[in-house]
Amino acid sequence: MAANLVSVVMQFLAPDMIAKIASVLGIDRNVAQKAIGGAIPALLAGLADVTATPQGARQLSSSLAQQQPGSLDLLKSLIGGSGQNNLAETGSNMLSGLFGGGALDTIAQSIGKFAGIDGQASKSLLGMLGPVVLGTLGQQQRSAGLDTNGLASLLGSQKDQIVAAIPSGLADHLASAGLIDRAAGVARSGAAAASAAGSGIAGASERTIASASRAAQATTSAASSQLPYWLVAVAILGALAWYVFQPRTETVAELPRPAAVQPGTATVGLAPSDLTIGGVSLTNKVNSSVGTLRSVLPTITDVASAQAAIPKLREATAQLNEVSDLAGKLSPEGKSALAKLIATAKPTINQMCDNVLAVPGVGDVAKPTIDELRRKIETLSRS
């Protein structure tokens, strides 16, 4: 039986490590515990969605293949030490390459609201946790001898329990932003005890965290005898350069698999087809546009926030217009893939737009812009 991924990651984040992270971020240790307890399953849930398509699975597997042997002691010294900035920057680059920058920002904002920390601290936290999560996955992949499909199966098989480990407060933020499906977390309360290393950490004491870590280590000692030693070399030697210079397609990790789209779920950024025209990736443009919409639409709560959001909504619509202009040069198969890419994102975007227009007074301000956006999405979904 495969080790619980949330528990295995939490083994590395012992109380002394959490204390270092809290010190680096300038926040209370209990607040750091709460943020980390939500961030770990949120990141794993996102990576599970990345691997829901062949392209996403290949992208994650390729990222893990960059791992190099390293020293755990040196890795621990990076957090709170001289290599801290490099580690956080590398981690942010890794996650942005996999999730898409807009999606990563939305995750950071959601965690910030949940834990009560500012957006910069939340994003720095994700930058530090990214290498830990990816390192654990890399170790699990190697120890179990998994290929790309095996890695995808591992994450997919644990998706429900990972989502169930997301604390309910954070899950509400992520669901309202369209990043997770509420239905996937129906069993959250019943699974809370079983996933205490992940969901329970939000309100746990250091003693509870240490106990959960020891229990996880006892049940997964064979699989986790080698913690992710590669992280130092990734942070110091090669990963940043690889992520700067390696061509890649950004993938919005939070979106479900196109092959089995659930009603009301949004899926974008995972299309396996190469939708590139004249060196321009239409997939990236769609990801960027949808990421912007998912970040901006939930922030509209009154007339003032609607007025502030309109320029960004217009920017997202302009990107979709560029996609439409270039789409005519795609092959029939490419046009079909693009249409499916848009169609699977449409329900969530439409729901967000409906929520915005339902706010008293906002319709008069935002409706023209939202109507134009919806028309473009509708047209592209039927190309």
Side-chain angles (χ1 to χ4, degrees):
M1 182 176 179
N4 182 300
L5 293 174
V6 175
S7 297
V8 175
V9 174
M10 289 310 306
Q11 289 179 84
F12 182 80
L13 295 165
D16 64 328
M17 185 62 67
I18 293 175
K20 284 186 177 182
I21 292 174
S23 177
V24 168
L25 297 178
I27 61 177
D28 181 79
R29 185 180 302 185
N30 291 331
V31 174
Q33 290 173 359
K34 182 176 183 179
I36 291 169
I40 294 302
L43 290 174
L44 284 169
L47 292 173
D49 283 330
V50 166
T51 60
T53 63
Q55 178 180 336
R58 287 194 298 269
Q59 189 175 357
L60 178 59
S61 188
S62 176
S63 298
L64 301 185
Q66 306 304 312
Q67 301 170 20
Q68 301 288 334
S71 164
L72 180 60
D73 290 337
L74 285 176
L75 169 63
K76 291 181 177 180
S77 71
L78 285 176
I79 297 180
S82 60
Q84 167 60 44
N85 291 337
N86 285 338
L87 177 64
E89 183 179 2
T90 298
S92 293
N93 286 338
M94 287 176 172
L95 295 176
S96 291
L98 291 165
F99 292 174
L104 182 61
D105 287 343
T106 303
I107 295 172
Q109 291 168 10
S110 297
I111 291 172
K113 291 177 182 178
F114 163 69
I117 59 179
D118 62 52
Q120 185 56 50
S122 181
K123 194 163 185 179
S124 295
L125 174 66
L126 292 182
M128 286 184 272
L129 296 180
V132 176
V133 173
L134 293 173
T136 300
L137 287 178
Q139 186 274 326
Q140 292 293 307
Q141 183 183 33
R142 292 192 303 274
S143 65
L146 302 176
D147 59 10
T148 298
N149 291 334
L151 176 65
S153 295
L154 173 64
L155 283 162
S157 68
Q158 296 197 23
K159 174 67 182 298
D160 287 346
Q161 70 186 77
I162 290 171
V163 173
I166 302 175
S168 59
L170 176 58
D172 290 341
H173 287 299
L174 295 175
S176 66
L179 299 182
I180 63 171
D181 184 357
R182 286 179 183 272
V186 167
R188 183 179 295 108
S189 59
S195 58
S199 60
I201 191 174
S205 65
E206 289 185 4
R207 181 176 57 194
T208 303
I209 296 168
S211 175
S213 296
R214 289 193 297 270
Q217 189 168 13
T219 57
T220 61
S221 58
S224 60
S225 58
Q226 299 177 8
L227 287 171
Y229 297 122
W230 61 278
L231 295 171
V232 176
V234 172
I236 298 178
L237 300 176
L240 184 56
W242 184 82
Y243 276 95
V244 170
F245 297 109
Q246 176 70 22
R248 60 188 183 273
T249 300
E250 289 193 351
T251 305
V252 178
E254 71 274 12
L255 303 164
R257 48 186 69 82
V261 176
Q262 300 298 321
T265 338
T267 310
V268 67
L270 299 176
S273 302
D274 180 15
L275 306 180
T276 302
I277 298 295
V280 177
S281 170
L282 303 192
T283 300
N284 280 356
K285 283 191 172 293
V286 171
N287 283 338
S288 177
S289 178
V290 171
T292 297
L293 294 174
R294 289 183 156 179
S295 298
V296 173
L297 287 170
T299 70
I300 300 177
T301 57
D302 53 27
V303 173
S305 58
Q307 291 172 335
I310 283 176
K312 293 183 179 179
L313 297 180
R314 289 174 176 166
E315 179 184 344
T317 304
Q319 286 185 311
L320 293 177
N321 283 330
E322 293 176 18
V323 170
S324 181
D325 291 341
L326 293 171
K329 299 179 181 179
L330 290 171
S331 66
E333 293 79 9
K335 291 178 181 178
S336 176
L338 177 63
K340 291 178 181 178
L341 192 66
I342 300 293
T344 50
K346 185 171 67 172
T348 295
I349 299 302
N350 280 338
Q351 182 60 55
M352 289 182 176
C353 290
D354 288 340
N355 292 342
V356 168
L357 296 178
V359 177
V362 168
D364 294 338
V365 175
K367 191 173 188 302
T369 302
I370 286 179
D371 284 349
E372 181 184 359
L373 169 66
R374 283 175 145 173
R375 284 194 295 271
K376 180 53 61 178
I377 289 175
E378 181 66 27
T379 299
L380 284 170
S381 71
R382 292 186 285 173
S383 297

